Amino acid sequence: MPVVYYALQMNPVILLVVIIGLFVLFSTGLTLLFKRYGRINIRHSDNGGLGDVFVAITAIYGLLMGFVVFLVWDSFNTAQTNADREGSLARSLYRDIYYYPDSAKIAPLMSAYIDYVHYVIEYEYSHMEKIQPTSSEDRYAFSKVFSTIERDKSNDYRMEEIFKTLNELATYRSLRQLDAVNNIPYPIWMTLMLGGILIIGFATVLEFKNLNLHLIINGLLGAFIGLLVYIIVLLDYPFTGSISIKPEAYQQILLMHKEAHQKSF
């Protein structure tokens, strides 16, 4: 199980403090080490040149960070939209099955569909939360719903509508599974981390007469980078963590089915 899963199980405030604290500790610690053991004699004219380079690199890094934050935010919104559409179709399909006029004929399909709903809640979303890839077994419960409809050979327009809705549901179910594994590639993560280290390194070698002021500025710089990393981590895994997407629509289906079952007795 990926380490990020355990990190996202933490309270979001605690996770924020931990990530920012690590970056602040790194930036201030690096500054102290450089001031104590660094052997580079930076003159006033050198400091001005380093400052210009620092501003240029910071601007480029800011653009990169902004692009990645926008990317993960857009991906999160897309995953939420796809999950909402899937949930809406799932509820519509349940109503179509429930209100089918021939209850005896539709009973096998209702049973297969409720089994699938249980499977989505208890298995699929559980695996997506743990950032685990899907397997060939994931198709079994959903395929059973299809096969149950296929066994009905009657030219019933209601059954055709059910089959059409099921096909639409299959599309958004596939999109949801793709959204669960569509995370930022490791090369981009490496670029972000190396870029942050490079910026903190430049800020470290700048000459400040006041050591405390230098530590405060570098600490704030590290805190800001850590804040952006926190946002990226939180949004990059849409089905894991405190703001994760939940199977609310499928849970509502089970609640409706339970209420309908109680009314029948």
Side-chain angles (χ1 to χ4, degrees):
M1 194 176 298
V3 176
V4 70
Y5 165 76
Y6 297 102
L8 289 171
Q9 300 311 301
M10 299 170 61
N11 182 286
V13 176
I14 296 176
L15 180 61
L16 174 63
V17 172
V18 169
I19 292 178
I20 289 180
L22 289 173
F23 276 89
V24 170
L25 183 63
F26 174 77
S27 59
T28 54
L30 186 64
T31 303
L32 285 173
L33 288 174
F34 179 79
K35 290 296 182 182
R36 176 170 296 184
Y37 300 108
R39 296 292 183 266
I40 302 177
N41 184 21
I42 300 176
R43 295 172 295 183
H44 180 72
S45 58
D46 296 331
N47 200 53
L50 284 173
D52 293 338
V53 175
F54 176 73
V55 170
I57 292 178
T58 303
I60 296 172
Y61 186 73
L63 289 174
L64 175 62
M65 271 291 194
F67 170 75
V68 175
V69 170
F70 173 78
L71 179 66
V72 294
W73 175 249
D74 183 64
S75 296
F76 185 89
N77 278 337
T78 300
Q80 181 71 70
T81 300
N82 289 335
D84 290 342
R85 289 175 178 174
E86 179 193 1
S88 178
L89 287 168
R91 288 194 299 267
S92 297
L93 182 58
Y94 174 78
R95 286 192 293 268
D96 290 343
I97 297 173
Y98 180 76
Y99 288 107
Y100 190 83
D102 191 342
S103 57
K105 177 181 177 181
I106 207 68
L109 179 58
M110 175 63 82
S111 177
Y113 187 64
I114 293 301
D115 287 344
Y116 163 69
V117 172
H118 277 288
Y119 187 83
V120 170
I121 296 172
E122 298 168 7
Y123 184 86
E124 288 190 2
Y125 268 82
S126 175
H127 272 60
M128 290 188 301
E129 181 185 4
K130 296 174 183 176
I131 319 178
Q132 294 178 345
T134 58
S135 63
S136 58
E137 297 178 359
D138 294 343
R139 296 190 296 269
Y140 175 75
F142 196 54
S143 298
K144 186 178 178 181
V145 181
F146 270 104
S147 62
T148 304
I149 294 180
E150 286 292 335
R151 283 197 292 269
D152 186 289
K153 302 300 182 180
S154 61
N155 295 322
D156 187 343
Y157 78 93
R158 294 187 182 89
M159 193 63 73
E160 291 177 0
E161 286 298 319
I162 289 175
F163 189 75
K164 180 180 177 181
T165 304
L166 186 61
N167 272 306
E168 291 184 59
L169 178 62
T171 299
Y172 286 103
R173 174 177 177 268
S174 298
L175 289 174
R176 186 240 307 159
Q177 292 177 330
L178 290 174
D179 291 333
V181 296
N182 189 24
N183 307 120
I184 295 178
Y186 284 111
I188 295 181
W189 269 117
M190 290 175 59
T191 302
L192 292 177
M193 294 297 103
L194 290 175
I197 292 172
L198 182 62
I199 288 177
I200 292 174
F202 262 99
T204 298
V205 301
L206 291 175
E207 183 63 26
F208 281 77
K209 292 182 179 180
N210 190 321
L211 177 59
N212 290 332
L213 178 62
H214 198 177
L215 290 173
I216 291 172
I217 290 176
N218 281 15
L220 291 174
L221 176 63
F224 184 70
I225 294 174
L227 179 62
L228 293 176
V229 170
Y230 168 77
I231 294 173
I232 293 171
V233 169
L234 208 60
L235 295 176
D236 193 33
Y237 299 89
F239 296 93
T240 305
S242 58
I243 61 171
S244 61
I245 301 170
K246 304 296 184 183
E248 296 176 356
Y250 285 100
Q251 291 168 344
Q252 290 174 8
I253 290 173
L254 290 184
L255 181 61
M256 289 188 295
H257 186 67
K258 181 179 179 181
E259 292 175 350
H261 185 71
Q262 290 174 346
K263 289 180 182 179
S264 62
F265 287 94

